[in-house]
Amino acid sequence: DVERLSANMMDAWIAFAETGNSSHEGIGRWQPHSAAQRRKRPTMVFAAECSLVNDPFGDERRAWEQFPS
């Protein structure tokens, strides 16, 4: 699992450096974040199996947004 995670992360960085898009066969399409998707917040989660998750830790993020930066 660790080697697959490492390979997926490295391939994502390589794809990004070459094309500006981190998508590759190992993780699938990495959907870019846009203002229109602000509520969904699609986020790539790197783990043994990589997946696109909508707003992971959303409750925690919203709690922190209460405080001025």
Side-chain angles (χ1 to χ4, degrees), residues 7-20:
N8 281 335
M9 184 66 92
M10 286 188 293
D11 288 348
W13 278 111
I14 291 167
F16 181 75
E18 291 176 342
T19 68

Side-chain angles (χ1 to χ4, degrees), residues 1-2 4 9 16 18 21 27 33 36 45-46 50 54 57 60-61 65-66:
D1 288 348
V2 171
R4 184 173 15 159
M9 184 66 92
F16 181 75
E18 291 176 342
N21 183 336
I27 64 172
H33 179 77
V45 175
F46 284 88
C50 299
N54 287 327
F57 304 107
E60 291 88 344
R61 179 185 50 77
E65 286 175 350
Q66 297 177 54

